[in-house]
Amino acid sequence: MQYKAAETFSRRSEPLAIGGRTLRSRLILGSGGFTSLELLASAVEASGTGLVTVAMRRVDPTARGSLIEVLDGLGVRVLPNTAGCFTARDAVRTAQLAREALQTDWVKLEVIGDAQTLLPDATELLIAAEQLVNDGFVVLPYTTDDPILARRLEDAGCAAVMPLGSPIGSGMGICNPYNIALICERAGVPVVLDAGVGTASDAAFAMELGCAAVLCASAISRAEEPVAMAYAIAAAVTAGHEARGAGRIPRRRLASASSPLEGMPDLG
Amino acid sequence: MIYVNGDEHQDAATVAALLERLGFGEQARGVAVALDGEVVPRSQWRSAQLLPGTRVEVVGAIQGG
């Protein structure tokens, strides 16, 4: 019997497209938390990602440019975020600044409602999303795991929805897998699990629930070995995506024998 | 007097003149500017006047998210 190469069975040939653009990988990397640009660059390479988030802040003219130069050199696209914004107004202005600075109309929209939990402010988020879509942005909103809000964001014209698994940087994984699955089942745009991933199994779980991609920062950048974790989480995203496509067996409470009971020898 | 990223600075005629004085290159790649909270498109940097008291924000990309 001839065995086929493992790649024959892979679904990796189905690339993810968001806002009309094809992404190289189903893992989006957050650049926050890496202790050096060298480490970030190594993690980008190990992850295989094609899209890396950045934040917008006041710049010192003596230190400008280096992050963008590193990311350009790696051939990845940047996804500016509106982290730190607590109002729709600030988030819209920050997105406009990012568009001017980085020449991209993509934005990871964050409007935070509370400094302790960093949970999204649903009302401000929807207002900002509507304004940015009208202004021509490709909006990827960081949102709660509320299926109704996800639908409202999609209706507003967002190119994806990015529900949290658990609070940013908490590493608690996916606290409400039912809601994430529900969002995935009903969404007409790609669902990206954003925030909460603690380790590789969380990323695989997100993909098994039906997410199109995973966005991950702290789980990689703050791991003991960030580059090794970047590789592990990328592998988990692929594994979860493949498993979702392959179709898992249903859960049952009692065993179901995998060896036949017929033909048992009489050993009495 | 104008305010650049919260600090007092001497007046400058335009956004372009200010960026040049601050040491940004001709293209100031990766940088964006807001005057009193309003984003100024790059195409208007040479024409955008800086009145005394203007709050100028000069921002760029850092690691985050």
Side-chain angles (χ1 to χ4, degrees), chain A residues 57-78:
Chain A
R57 292 292 181 270
R58 288 171 166 175
V59 286
D60 173 357
T62 60
R64 70 184 178 278
S66 53
L67 170 64
I68 295 303
E69 283 165 16
V70 166
L71 295 177
D72 280 353
L74 291 163
V76 296
R77 296 179 50 234
V78 295

Side-chain angles (χ1 to χ4, degrees), chain A residues 30-34 37 40 53-59 61 64 67-69 72 81 89 93 96-97 100-103 217, chain B residues 5-6 22-25 28-34 36-43 57-65:
Chain A
S31 68
F34 290 95
L37 287 176
L40 169 62
T53 70
V54 297
M56 302 304 295
R57 292 292 181 270
R58 288 171 166 175
V59 286
R64 70 184 178 278
L67 170 64
I68 295 303
E69 283 165 16
D72 280 353
N81 69 26
R89 181 185 179 280
R93 297 286 162 86
Q96 291 168 339
L97 284 167
E100 282 298 317
L102 304 173
Q103 311 295 307
Chain B
N5 288 351
L22 291 173
F24 290 97
R29 192 167 160 276
V31 169
V33 175
D36 293 329
E38 295 292 334
V39 180
V40 181
R42 187 171 288 261
S43 58
E57 295 290 332
V58 185
V59 304
I62 62 154
Q63 285 177 240

Side-chain angles (χ1 to χ4, degrees), chain A residues 168-236:
Chain A
I168 292 170
S170 70
M172 287 197 290
I174 298 174
C175 286
N176 194 339
Y178 168 75
N179 272 19
I180 298 296
L182 206 53
I183 291 170
C184 293
E185 284 166 20
R186 302 167 121 204
V189 293
V191 178
V192 181
L193 195 284
D194 182 6
V197 169
T199 187
S201 53
D202 297 329
F205 189 30
M207 299 302 288
E208 287 168 358
L209 289 171
C211 291
V214 171
L215 196 160
C216 200
S218 304
I220 293 172
S221 66
R222 298 197 163 101
E224 285 185 29
E225 293 188 35
V227 178
M229 188 60 88
Y231 181 77
I233 288 181

Side-chain angles (χ1 to χ4, degrees), chain A residues 12-252:
Chain A
R12 280 193 237 192
S13 56
E14 301 169 14
L16 171 63
I18 296 178
R21 277 182 184 268
T22 299
L23 297 185
R24 185 190 302 170
S25 158
R26 290 178 183 271
L27 175 59
I28 302 170
L29 184 66
S31 68
F34 290 95
T35 52
S36 71
L37 287 176
E38 291 74 19
L39 195 58
L40 169 62
S42 298
V44 167
E45 290 186 313
S47 72
T49 190
L51 190 60
V52 179
T53 70
V54 297
M56 302 304 295
R57 292 292 181 270
R58 288 171 166 175
V59 286
D60 173 357
T62 60
R64 70 184 178 278
S66 53
L67 170 64
I68 295 303
E69 283 165 16
V70 166
L71 295 177
D72 280 353
L74 291 163
V76 296
R77 296 179 50 234
V78 295
L79 176 60
N81 69 26
T82 62
C85 292
F86 283 76
T87 64
R89 181 185 179 280
D90 280 359
V92 168
R93 297 286 162 86
T94 301
Q96 291 168 339
L97 284 167
R99 180 165 62 181
E100 282 298 317
L102 304 173
Q103 311 295 307
T104 176
D105 52 11
W106 280 40
V107 62
K108 175 187 167 180
L109 177 62
E110 298 181 44
V111 189
I112 300 305
D114 173 80
Q116 260 81 49
T117 62
L118 298 178
L119 290 172
D121 182 319
T123 312
E124 293 290 309
L125 180 66
L126 192 55
I127 292 168
E130 288 168 345
Q131 290 181 8
L132 288 169
V133 168
N134 287 337
D135 196 10
F137 282 86
V138 175
V139 181
L140 289 74
Y142 164 65
T143 179
T144 57
D145 60 9
D146 174 359
I148 307 305
L149 179 57
R151 191 173 63 202
R152 293 289 301 270
L153 289 163
E154 180 181 341
D155 290 346
C158 292
V161 289
M162 307 209 295
L164 55 83
S166 52
I168 292 170
S170 70
M172 287 197 290
I174 298 174
C175 286
N176 194 339
Y178 168 75
N179 272 19
I180 298 296
L182 206 53
I183 291 170
C184 293
E185 284 166 20
R186 302 167 121 204
V189 293
V191 178
V192 181
L193 195 284
D194 182 6
V197 169
T199 187
S201 53
D202 297 329
F205 189 30
M207 299 302 288
E208 287 168 358
L209 289 171
C211 291
V214 171
L215 196 160
C216 200
S218 304
I220 293 172
S221 66
R222 298 197 163 101
E224 285 185 29
E225 293 188 35
V227 178
M229 188 60 88
Y231 181 77
I233 288 181
V237 168
T238 300
H241 181 58
E242 300 282 350
R244 169 75 180 188
R248 61 153 299 148
I249 61 167
R251 291 174 200 277
R252 53 171 80 222

Side-chain angles (χ1 to χ4, degrees), chain A residues 3-12 242:
Chain A
Y3 291 97
K4 295 177 184 173
E7 288 73 21
T8 308
F9 305 104
S10 173
R11 288 181 162 76
R12 280 193 237 192
E242 300 282 350

